Amino acid sequence: MKSSRTVTLYFVLIVICSSEATWSRPAEPIVHPLILREHELAGEELLRPKRAVAVGGPVVEEYTVDVEISFENVSFLESIRAHLNSLRFPVQGNGTDILSMAMTTVCTPTGNDLLCFCEKGYQWPEERCLPSLTCQEHDSALPGRYCNCLKGLPPQGPFCQLPETYITLKIKVRLNIGFQEDLKNTSSALYRSYKTDLERAFRAGYRTLPGFRSVTVTQFTMGSVIVDYIVEVASAPLPGSIHKANEQVVQNLNQTYKMDYNSFQGTPSNETKFTVTPEFIFEGDNVTLECESEFVSSNTSWFYGEKRSDIQNSDKFSIHTSIINNISLVTRLTIFNFTQHDAGLYGCNVTLDIFEYGTVRKLDVTPIRILAKEERKVVCDNNPISLNCCSENIANWSRIEWKQEGKINIEGTPETDLESSCSTYTLKADGTQCPSGSSGTTVIYTCEFVSVYGAKGSKNIAVTFTSVANLTITPDPISVSEGQSFSITCLSDVSSFDEVYWNTSAGIKIHPRFYTMRRYQDGAESVLTVKTSTREWNGTYHCIFRYKNSYSIATKDVTVHPLPLESDIMMDPLEASGLCTSSHQFKCCIEENNGEEYIVTFHVDSSSFPAEREVIGKQACYKYSLPGKLPPRCPKDVDVFCHFTNAANSSVRSPSMKLTLVPGKNVTCQDPIIGIGEPGKVIQKLCQFAGVSRSPGQTIGGTVTYKCVGSQWKEETRACISAPINGLLQLAKALIKSPSQDQKLPKYLRDLSVSTGKEEQDIRSSPGSLGAIISILDLLSTVPTQVNSEMMRDILATINVILDKSTLNSWEKLLQQQSNQSSQFLQSVERFSKALELGDSTPPFLFHPNVQMKSMVIKRGHAQIYQQKFVFTDSDLWGDVAIDECQLGSLQPHSSIVTVAFPTLKAILAQDGQRKTPSNSLVMTTTVSHNIVKPFRISMTFKNNHRLGGKPQCVFWNFSLANNTGGWDSSGCTVEDDGRDNRDRVSCKCNHLTSFSILMSPDSPDPGSLLKILLDIISYIGLGFSIVSLAACLVVEAMVWKSVTKNRTSYMRHICIVNIALCLLIADIWFIVAGAIHDGHYPLNETACVAATFFIHFFYLSVFFWMLTLGLMLFYRLIFILHDASKSTQKAIAFSLGYGCPLIISSITVGVTQPQEVYMRKNACWLNWEDTRALLAFAIPALIIVVVNVSITVVVITKILRPSVGDKPGKQEKSSLFQISKSIGVLTPLLGLTWGFGLATVIQGSNAVFHIIFTLLNAFQGLFILLFGCLWDQKVQEALLHKFSLSRWSSQHSKSTSLGSSTPVFSMSSPISRRFNNLFGKTGTYNVSTPETTSSSVENSSSAYSLLN
């Protein structure tokens, strides 16, 4: 039949032929073979049937035609498929329409067999599969039923067929007639009639659909009448065929049913198959959504989200729709690089006539999570290091790739297991791959997981490659003597390491305070520096650079030769007097150690002499005797010192010993040990050589001071240190220079507490021993190490001894000699408290009669309140301290809070020198081990043993006061009123941590005292008078303004008076507001208090600056005679000076101090004095203005009193001069004196008289302004009299009186009047132009007077 190389295709065509004739032949298949060759395809139409199936009917016949095509070129198969898919059906013909055309069967030769495959959607019927040979390896159908592939073409046909399945179309249509209840009853005649008629019409209309099988009415529902029916067809309808069928239905149905053609509605069904690839979506995947429908339609769409937004082709989305064998539609949506933003609802729609098919699927995306250690450090020592990378997600990974990026290229070996989703990258770096110059270089290795669908997830691993360090240490040999410094420099050629430290040859770590470390770009450097070497530094030292488990070590030997330190040389005498003719012995002693011998010489002036060595117990003493001879001059001062030289030729000299040679005639005191002296002579001797009792062989410390009184040496002071304590002091000095000081400290503190207990009797009587212990504690507290509970126990045991009441006498003597010892002691305790490390252990409560300590550890996540109470029964004192939860929350976890309380320390600490009575109260020191954020609030309560002793004050010990000797300070602390009866207690709040206590100040009046009540009464009554007076002044000025401001000078004077009164009035009002805020105890009105302080400051300053303006104008009018400024210029200067300067000063003050909350006082709405001295921003300008105004007054009076030639001033003229200067001379001193007394009240200890005077003057100053600045002005008086017009006679009388009283002074015949007129531009010989009226001598005189009066 067919060539072995021929491919045969079989098609099925459904053809509808329209004819008026009926088909006369029986309905049986007629087969006509039609074979088209390859060359015939282009020119011959496929119209001749091979198989026809007649469908009965009077008008339309439907045929199914099988077509066979054979060709030899296999590639032509895809062209045929593409051509079929491109056709649009129905294909209109001349009386014949092709409804569909589908490829059903493809037969291809394979070896000796011809394999015939069914296309998608088609199968071999069961009756062909059973007798024929099937292609087992190519067939996926179940055996015995349908099959997809046969070996050879069945001789009797048929070809591959559509499965015997039907498509159900659910449709609704409305009948525009009334609904009857019988339509609900399927047994009723009406129901059967409707059903029969409708099904007949439906069959007549839908039989034109391809593969039509049946139509069935299912139900009737209301609305007019809704008919539900289903149509079964063998294949999907073609586009437009449903509409045509519906038209036929309407035409074939009786018109009485009134079927609405526009009401046909297809019921949506899930006929659409929706698939998502991949099933689990990862970020970055290319996701394909596929909708497959049995309905072929060109109207397909995709949408996204709840709002069903249309999706169009773009860079993000790709939509492709295809029709398979003309029997099914597949539309695909591809979403590229799927992200979290793309997740959501996706759906497809396929619309065919009245049917709409589709489905919706929610897509979720899973981020790819890659697990890997992000940082690694690799030493280039050729050891393998593995970088591990795993995915948390179970995915179909296609590959795992490793990439690197960095300055150096070090490749590794990957090992990947896709099933476990893990990959390992093994590095093996050696020194050649990362030389020292590139040590510390970081290379980024990236493991990237790639899925089959394009998703990518990666993780960066930063690998820092470090070369094995090559160390270079100081090459020169190091040989030093005790007391000298040395340093060792250790250089590394790499800069990356985990730790650098120094060790001794015994493996003891050197304390970090002795060495430094510095990194460079291509290396590092560590320098061990010892400023004062001791014999303990003799040995071998190791410089160690550690990186992980790799160590680079360099060693250096240090030789330390014995040599006494200058402070260890004991001299005798320290200073002495001797006869010029007598010999004098000097000696220098040191501790004997291992028989070391030194070359010792004594130097006297410019000469040196060898010394004799003598060993006394544990001391080696070197002596020299200065021979007696009569010097060229006597008396004479001689300086002697001893010089020690060791085997390394290093040397040290002792301090000078001073010898005063005297003739002997005035010598009255003689002693073989102390020496000779003249009356009043004072000398010091070391206790070791002063005959102080001691056990043989022991070395005691300290000095004794003697004074020659009469003929006897009297002991002035003794500060000797007992041998055990002196030994501990020397060990403490050595310990802080030791390389292992932190390791030695615990044992030393234990020995100190034991020795202090044994030497308690000596401490009570010897200020020297007491001072030595304080020095020891000060030295040890500087050791930078943590203090544990046992160490703190030993420290407090020592403190308990030296703070006993029996030692107070020694403390008093000690502070007379060294005033800063108490402050030094307290600072040592604070340093130890801060260094206390409690860890997870239970905080210890340490109790002693003279000191107690309590503490707490801040724990993470635990709400805590710090509250501790201390009770000292023997001292009848108690106190407590509290820190709230909010403050503790700002501390770092594991911080330690420590409070130490002292009942006797208050009596020891120096007073602040401001007449404050020392109260018998606790001193409580609270510290935190880590840095705190300020302000840090703390509350304390102290027992008050001075209930009648004055006003309590909360203070802390400020170490920086009194040239760093310390003193009590109240900054940041306030006394709190807790609302209870607090006569027996004082509550304090402070905003910082340190050592706190309370003081009693007798100067401040108590709230209920008579003085306080008196001051309040004076203030409020006086301010009331002042405000009324100032208001009256302003009213008077307003009434007489036009009368008294007719010339420029008078105008400017009254401008100044009005502004002075206005500013003072506003200031007084704000003063009352501030008092109300303070007296009302309104804690929330801090803003109002700030505002009151600002405005009081501003307006009081304005008063002074307007007074300055008034004074300067007087100076200007009387001195600069030939110069005259315009009124506008004078006003501009006056207002700039009167308001501009105060505004600048007050604004700067509040801007600088308020951010730190130190603008106001804590107990009043006024400028701060104790913390910032902000009050000086008012006091200094005010006092300067007072001084300037007084100076101007003196200058003006002097100027006016200076007589001219021919002038003869009389008594009446002098009286007038004083009348001229009364405005400035009275008003300014009043204001100045007021605030002068106010400054006096700031000084603590000021007498109550100053408080009363200040209150009186400040309260009544408004009244003074009304009297002296306003009503005393004669022009004001005249204007008022004229204003009220008491009578014409009184007015005329007033004017004549005024003129009469003025004429002798200001008439042109008066020499003083002529001089005064000259000042304002009117004389007998020349005239200086002025804008004022100058028509008479009286007016001119009034112009001058208006300025001053």
Side-chain angles (χ1 to χ4, degrees):
M1 290 177 52
K2 311 272 190 312
S3 169
S4 61
R5 292 174 295 173
T6 300
V7 178
T8 305
L9 303 180
Y10 301 94
F11 295 84
V12 58
L13 284 82
I14 298 177
V15 182
I16 296 178
C17 297
S18 298
S19 175
E20 295 181 358
T22 58
W23 188 261
S24 59
R25 295 202 176 196
E28 61 182 19
I30 301 173
V31 179
H32 299 279
L34 172 64
I35 299 177
L36 301 181
R37 301 304 174 188
E38 186 175 350
H39 61 273
E40 298 171 327
L41 287 175
E44 193 169 334
E45 296 182 1
L46 305 178
L47 297 177
R48 287 171 292 173
K50 179 177 180 181
R51 176 185 299 169
V53 178
V55 179
V59 178
V60 178
E61 291 95 9
E62 179 182 313
Y63 300 91
T64 299
V65 181
D66 291 337
V67 180
E68 177 182 327
I69 300 177
S70 299
F71 53 88
E72 295 181 358
N73 190 350
V74 178
S75 62
F76 196 56
L77 176 62
E78 292 303 321
S79 300
I80 297 292
R81 282 198 177 104
H83 181 70
L84 290 177
N85 288 333
S86 65
L87 294 178
R88 288 187 168 276
F89 296 99
V91 178
Q92 301 291 333
N94 187 11
T96 302
D97 294 340
I98 300 177
L99 301 181
S100 67
M101 181 182 295
M103 186 184 298
T104 63
T105 312
V106 177
C107 295
T108 60
T110 304
N112 296 325
D113 296 326
L114 180 67
L115 301 182
C116 294
F117 295 89
C118 293
E119 290 289 282
K120 185 177 181 181
Y122 291 86
Q123 294 177 332
W124 291 107
E126 182 178 359
E127 63 270 15
R128 294 300 175 208
C129 293
L130 292 176
S132 305
L133 295 176
T134 62
C135 320
Q136 298 292 338
E137 65 275 13
H138 300 286
D139 205 333
S140 60
L142 293 176
R145 300 189 66 185
Y146 296 100
C147 54
N148 292 327
C149 180
L150 293 179
K151 290 185 177 180
L153 188 66
Q156 300 300 322
F159 303 133
C160 295
Q161 304 292 311
L162 286 170
E164 293 183 1
T165 58
Y166 293 92
I167 299 174
T168 300
L169 306 178
K170 297 179 181 180
I171 307 174
K172 291 183 179 183
V173 66
R174 185 175 68 252
L175 307 180
N176 293 324
I177 57 177
F179 185 82
Q180 302 180 46
E181 289 297 323
D182 285 346
L183 292 177
K184 294 182 179 179
N185 184 3
T186 58
S187 301
S188 66
L190 181 64
Y191 180 90
R192 289 196 301 271
S193 174
Y194 270 52
K195 179 177 172 64
T196 302
D197 292 343
L198 288 170
E199 286 181 351
R200 183 182 298 114
F202 288 148
R203 277 194 295 272
Y206 293 118
R207 65 184 301 169
T208 60
L209 298 180
F212 171 77
R213 180 184 181 190
S214 65
V215 60
T216 305
V217 174
T218 57
Q219 67 176 357
F220 299 100
T221 56
M222 295 180 63
S224 308
V225 176
I226 304 299
V227 182
D228 291 326
Y229 61 98
I230 58 175
V231 179
E232 289 185 349
V233 293
S235 60
L238 298 175
S241 61
I242 298 294
H243 287 308
K244 292 180 179 180
N246 290 339
E247 292 176 358
Q248 293 295 325
V249 169
V250 175
Q251 292 176 6
N252 285 284
L253 183 64
N254 193 319
Q255 297 300 316
T256 60
Y257 284 98
K258 299 181 180 180
M259 179 176 286
D260 187 352
Y261 173 76
N262 296 320
S263 66
F264 283 97
Q265 179 182 353
T267 302
S269 62
N270 294 327
E271 300 294 340
T272 304
K273 183 180 178 182
F274 194 101
T275 57
V276 180
T277 306
E279 183 178 0
F280 297 101
I281 303 172
F282 294 99
E283 281 189 299
D285 273 336
N286 295 327
V287 179
T288 300
L289 313 181
E290 183 176 284
C291 270
E292 183 176 353
S293 175
E294 296 178 347
F295 296 91
V296 178
S297 172
S298 60
N299 190 359
T300 61
S301 64
W302 288 88
F303 60 86
Y304 167 72
E306 298 288 348
K307 297 182 179 180
R308 304 174 73 91
S309 302
D310 285 340
I311 297 176
Q312 303 295 334
N313 279 310
S314 63
D315 293 338
K316 184 69 178 179
F317 302 102
S318 175
I319 300 175
H320 177 72
T321 302
S322 60
I323 299 175
I324 301 176
N325 293 333
N326 290 323
I327 61 172
S328 64
L329 178 141
V330 177
T331 178
R332 293 183 181 88
L333 169 66
T334 302
I335 308 171
F336 301 103
N337 190 22
F338 203 91
T339 64
Q340 289 285 357
H341 181 71
D342 299 321
L345 293 176
Y346 286 85
C348 66
N349 275 337
V350 178
T351 303
L352 177 66
D353 295 347
I354 62 172
F355 292 95
E356 181 176 324
Y357 298 96
T359 187
V360 176
R361 182 75 60 85
K362 183 179 181 181
L363 302 186
D364 296 319
V365 61
T366 303
I368 298 177
R369 293 183 176 89
I370 309 300
L371 300 178
K373 188 175 181 181
E374 296 182 3
E375 294 183 357
R376 295 292 302 271
K377 294 182 178 180
V378 176
V379 180
C380 299
D381 54 2
N382 208 31
N383 289 320
I385 297 293
S386 296
L387 309 181
N388 297 313
C389 213
C390 292
S391 170
E392 280 188 357
N393 312 101
I394 299 175
N396 185 13
W397 302 114
S398 63
R399 65 188 184 276
I400 302 176
E401 298 178 347
W402 287 86
K403 304 173 184 178
Q404 64 169 304
E405 182 179 354
K407 293 182 179 180
I408 57 177
N409 182 26
I410 299 179
E411 295 183 353
T413 303
E415 294 182 10
T416 299
D417 184 1
L418 293 178
E419 292 185 1
S420 63
S421 299
C422 287
S423 181
T424 300
Y425 198 71
T426 303
L427 299 172
K428 196 173 182 181
D430 55 27
T432 60
Q433 292 175 301
C434 47
S436 60
S438 62
S439 181
T441 300
T442 299
V443 178
I444 303 299
Y445 287 85
T446 303
C447 63
E448 185 176 64
F449 286 68
V450 183
S451 75
V452 174
Y453 300 100
K456 293 182 180 181
S458 62
K459 191 76 169 182
N460 291 336
I461 304 175
V463 180
T464 302
F465 291 95
T466 305
S467 303
V468 178
N470 296 314
L471 302 184
T472 304
I473 204 164
T474 303
D476 299 331
I478 297 178
S479 177
V480 295
S481 297
E482 282 188 276
Q484 295 179 341
S485 63
F486 70 88
S487 63
I488 307 174
T489 301
C490 183
L491 298 175
S492 168
D493 60 353
V494 300
S495 59
S496 299
F497 48 83
D498 292 333
E499 184 185 13
V500 175
Y501 59 94
W502 292 74
N503 267 2
T504 65
S505 55
I508 300 173
K509 269 192 176 183
I510 306 297
H511 196 279
R513 73 185 298 185
F514 291 106
Y515 58 85
T516 60
M517 194 283 300
R518 184 180 302 171
R519 296 176 190 263
Y520 302 102
Q521 186 174 359
D522 55 352
E525 175 188 73
S526 181
V527 180
L528 174 67
T529 302
V530 179
K531 294 181 179 179
T532 305
S533 58
T534 61
R535 269 180 250 193
E536 200 173 348
W537 287 97
N538 189 72
T540 301
Y541 293 90
H542 305 289
C543 169
I544 303 172
F545 278 69
R546 182 186 68 82
Y547 182 78
K548 293 188 176 180
N549 295 323
S550 177
Y551 296 85
S552 298
I553 303 174
T555 61
K556 190 66 180 178
D557 292 330
V558 176
T559 303
V560 180
H561 300 278
L563 185 68
L565 301 177
E566 179 182 340
S567 58
D568 294 335
I569 301 174
M570 294 177 289
M571 305 166 297
D572 186 54
L574 296 177
E575 53 182 333
S577 295
L579 298 175
C580 295
T581 57
S582 300
S583 61
H584 306 281
Q585 190 176 55
F586 298 89
K587 63 180 177 181
C588 294
C589 299
I590 60 173
E591 292 294 324
E592 177 74 1
N593 289 315
N594 301 324
E596 291 290 343
E597 294 189 6
Y598 306 97
I599 299 175
V600 181
T601 57
F602 281 83
H603 294 253
V604 182
D605 291 337
S606 59
S607 303
S608 62
F609 307 93
E612 297 180 1
R613 186 172 184 268
E614 178 185 9
V615 178
I616 305 174
K618 294 182 179 180
Q619 283 189 337
C621 293
Y622 297 87
K623 301 179 180 179
Y624 169 70
S625 181
L626 180 66
K629 61 179 180 178
L630 189 64
R633 57 185 179 86
C634 190
K636 179 184 178 183
D637 292 331
V638 179
D639 286 338
V640 180
F641 65 87
C642 53
H643 189 270
F644 288 77
T645 305
N646 64 3
N649 204 30
S650 297
S651 61
V652 62
R653 54 162 289 180
S654 70
S656 294
M657 295 171 278
K658 298 186 180 300
L659 174 64
T660 302
L661 298 176
V662 296
K665 56 185 178 181
N666 295 327
V667 172
T668 60
C669 297
Q670 292 190 3
D671 186 271
I673 297 177
I674 303 174
I676 65 173
E678 299 173 342
K681 178 68 175 179
V682 178
I683 65 170
Q684 269 192 343
K685 286 189 73 71
L686 293 178
C687 295
Q688 180 75 8
F689 306 118
V692 178
S693 60
R694 57 185 173 88
S695 300
Q698 287 188 334
T699 302
I700 61 176
T703 61
V704 183
T705 303
Y706 298 96
K707 183 176 182 180
C708 179
V709 179
S711 61
Q712 298 291 328
W713 287 105
K714 300 293 184 180
E715 185 176 304
E716 288 272 295
T717 59
R718 175 181 291 202
C720 294
I721 306 172
S722 66
I725 296 178
N726 185 59
L728 287 172
L729 178 61
Q730 302 308 317
L731 288 176
K733 292 178 179 178
L735 184 143
I736 63 171
K737 302 170 186 173
S738 170
S740 55
Q741 51 189 257
D742 52 333
Q743 301 174 33
K744 293 182 177 181
L745 184 60
K747 182 179 183 304
Y748 182 90
L749 289 173
R750 197 176 310 113
D751 294 341
L752 176 64
S753 65
V754 172
S755 297
T756 304
K758 292 179 179 179
E759 297 297 317
E760 184 175 357
Q761 187 62 38
D762 181 68
I763 294 171
R764 294 174 182 173
S765 59
S766 173
S769 294
L770 176 62
I773 293 178
I774 295 172
S775 298
I776 290 172
L777 292 175
D778 183 57
L779 289 171
L780 299 182
S781 67
T782 61
V783 176
T785 187
Q786 294 179 348
V787 176
N788 57 35
S789 299
E790 288 300 320
M791 296 164 67
M792 200 67 185
R793 196 182 305 275
D794 294 329
I795 293 169
L796 293 187
T798 302
I799 293 174
N800 181 62
V801 173
I802 64 176
L803 290 184
D804 191 76
K805 292 181 180 178
S806 59
T807 65
L808 293 181
N809 187 45
S810 291
W811 272 103
E812 183 178 357
K813 294 178 180 178
L814 176 64
L815 294 178
Q816 290 175 355
Q817 302 168 17
Q818 304 178 55
S819 61
N820 68 330
Q821 287 288 84
S822 60
S823 184
Q824 182 179 319
F825 162 74
L826 186 57
Q827 199 163 22
S828 303
V829 175
E830 288 196 14
R831 283 197 290 261
F832 279 125
S833 299
K834 288 183 178 179
L836 179 61
E837 185 69 27
L838 299 175
D840 296 329
S841 61
T842 303
F845 294 164
L846 304 179
F847 297 91
H848 293 279
N850 303 308
V851 63
Q852 294 180 12
M853 188 200 82
K854 294 184 179 181
S855 57
M856 186 182 79
V857 178
I858 301 298
K859 296 182 180 179
R860 188 188 302 272
H862 292 274
Q864 298 167 299
I865 297 178
Y866 182 74
Q867 191 162 8
Q868 307 291 355
K869 187 176 183 65
F870 301 91
V871 179
F872 293 89
T873 307
D874 295 342
S875 305
D876 190 24
L877 290 174
W878 59 264
D880 59 49
V881 58
I883 303 175
D884 60 35
E885 180 181 346
C886 179
Q887 299 298 311
L888 297 183
S890 65
L891 299 178
Q892 300 180 23
H894 308 296
S895 297
S896 301
I897 306 177
V898 180
T899 300
V900 185
F902 314 93
T904 58
L905 186 59
K906 183 65 178 299
I908 295 171
L909 290 170
Q911 302 302 309
D912 63 0
Q914 295 179 349
R915 297 181 58 230
K916 288 180 182 173
T917 304
S919 63
N920 182 24
S921 64
L922 287 181
V923 173
M924 293 190 294
T925 298
T926 302
T927 58
V928 176
S929 59
H930 294 84
N931 293 332
I932 61 176
V933 178
K934 294 182 180 180
F936 189 89
R937 294 185 298 276
I938 181 173
S939 302
M940 292 159 290
T941 304
F942 297 88
K943 182 180 180 183
N944 184 11
N945 286 336
H946 292 259
R947 300 180 184 179
L948 303 177
K951 183 180 178 181
Q953 186 177 10
C954 300
V955 292
F956 73 97
W957 189 257
N958 189 340
F959 295 101
S960 61
L961 292 180
N963 294 325
N964 296 320
T965 60
W968 292 114
D969 190 353
S970 63
S971 301
C973 294
T974 57
V975 178
E976 294 293 319
D977 184 4
D978 56 6
R980 299 179 294 178
D981 183 7
N982 56 1
R983 288 177 295 176
D984 64 336
R985 69 184 65 206
V986 178
S987 297
C988 299
K989 282 193 176 180
C990 299
N991 59 11
H992 52 83
L993 297 181
T994 183
S995 301
F996 301 95
S997 188
I998 58 173
L999 295 177
M1000 307 305 295
S1001 175
D1003 303 326
S1004 301
D1006 292 329
S1009 65
L1010 180 61
L1011 177 59
K1012 181 66 167 61
I1013 296 173
L1014 179 61
L1015 293 177
D1016 288 343
I1017 293 173
I1018 296 174
S1019 295
Y1020 287 108
I1021 293 177
L1023 284 174
F1025 274 105
S1026 182
I1027 290 174
V1028 172
S1029 301
L1030 292 169
C1033 180
L1034 293 175
V1035 172
V1036 170
E1037 288 289 339
M1039 293 172 61
V1040 303
W1041 184 259
K1042 292 184 178 180
S1043 301
V1044 299
T1045 58
K1046 293 182 178 179
N1047 59 64
R1048 186 182 310 168
T1049 304
S1050 179
Y1051 176 82
M1052 291 307 301
R1053 174 185 180 272
H1054 284 278
I1055 283 285
C1056 293
I1057 293 295
V1058 167
N1059 280 282
I1060 289 171
L1062 179 63
C1063 292
L1064 190 54
L1065 175 62
I1066 298 175
D1068 286 345
I1069 293 173
W1070 273 106
F1071 192 88
I1072 293 176
V1073 173
I1077 293 172
H1078 175 252
D1079 294 340
H1081 301 287
Y1082 302 135
L1084 298 179
N1085 282 4
E1086 182 179 355
T1087 303
C1089 196
V1090 171
T1093 304
F1094 174 80
F1095 286 116
I1096 292 172
H1097 184 201
F1098 170 71
F1099 285 110
Y1100 275 132
L1101 275 182
S1102 297
V1103 171
F1104 278 97
F1105 274 94
W1106 276 108
M1107 289 301 301
L1108 175 64
T1109 303
L1110 188 60
L1112 292 176
M1113 291 184 67
L1114 171 64
F1115 185 81
Y1116 167 74
R1117 297 300 295 172
L1118 296 180
I1119 302 302
F1120 297 97
I1121 301 173
L1122 301 179
H1123 186 274
D1124 192 13
S1126 64
K1127 183 187 293 185
S1128 59
T1129 302
Q1130 293 185 43
K1131 283 177 64 177
I1133 295 174
F1135 277 92
S1136 298
L1137 195 61
Y1139 290 115
C1141 293
L1143 182 61
I1144 292 173
I1145 295 173
S1146 54
S1147 298
I1148 291 176
T1149 304
V1150 69
V1152 171
T1153 57
Q1154 180 57 26
Q1156 287 77 36
E1157 298 183 355
V1158 287
Y1159 176 54
M1160 307 173 301
R1161 301 187 181 192
K1162 298 176 180 63
N1163 57 352
C1165 296
W1166 185 228
L1167 296 174
N1168 190 297
W1169 174 255
E1170 293 183 348
D1171 298 325
T1172 58
R1173 301 294 190 267
L1175 184 60
L1176 294 177
F1178 172 76
I1180 291 177
L1183 291 177
I1184 290 175
I1185 290 172
V1186 169
V1187 172
V1188 171
N1189 276 356
V1190 170
S1191 301
I1192 290 174
T1193 303
V1194 172
V1195 171
V1196 169
I1197 293 174
T1198 304
K1199 178 73 174 178
I1200 295 178
L1201 288 176
R1202 185 181 300 158
S1204 301
V1205 178
D1207 289 343
K1208 186 178 182 181
K1211 181 178 180 180
Q1212 188 176 7
E1213 291 174 336
K1214 293 183 179 179
S1215 176
S1216 298
L1217 291 173
F1218 287 106
Q1219 183 72 7
I1220 290 172
S1221 60
K1222 69 178 171 58
S1223 292
I1224 298 298
V1226 173
L1227 192 57
T1228 304
L1230 277 175
L1231 289 174
L1233 288 175
T1234 298
W1235 292 101
F1237 284 106
L1239 289 176
T1241 62
V1242 175
I1243 304 172
Q1244 294 202 6
S1246 59
N1247 196 284
V1249 176
F1250 290 103
H1251 289 270
I1252 297 173
I1253 295 175
F1254 167 67
T1255 305
L1256 279 171
L1257 295 178
N1258 188 46
F1260 289 96
Q1261 57 186 333
L1263 180 60
F1264 299 148
I1265 291 176
L1266 174 64
L1267 294 176
F1268 299 124
C1270 184
L1271 296 181
W1272 279 18
D1273 189 339
Q1274 281 187 323
K1275 296 185 70 176
V1276 173
Q1277 296 173 15
E1278 293 172 5
L1280 287 175
L1281 289 174
H1282 179 72
K1283 188 78 174 179
F1284 289 105
S1285 301
L1286 296 178
S1287 67
R1288 181 178 182 82
W1289 177 87
S1290 62
S1291 177
Q1292 293 297 328
H1293 176 74
S1294 175
K1295 292 179 182 179
S1296 61
T1297 303
S1298 176
L1299 291 174
S1301 62
S1302 303
T1303 301
V1305 182
F1306 295 108
S1307 64
M1308 292 302 294
S1309 60
S1310 171
I1312 188 66
S1313 180
R1314 289 197 304 271
R1315 184 183 308 277
F1316 194 73
N1317 285 333
N1318 288 341
L1319 297 177
F1320 290 90
K1322 181 128 181 145
T1323 68
T1325 57
Y1326 65 90
N1327 181 18
V1328 178
S1329 176
T1330 68
E1332 287 91 347
T1333 304
T1334 57
S1335 59
S1336 68
S1337 62
V1338 176
E1339 290 177 354
N1340 189 51
S1341 300
S1342 298
S1343 177
Y1345 180 76
S1346 67
L1347 177 65
L1348 301 170
N1349 203 18

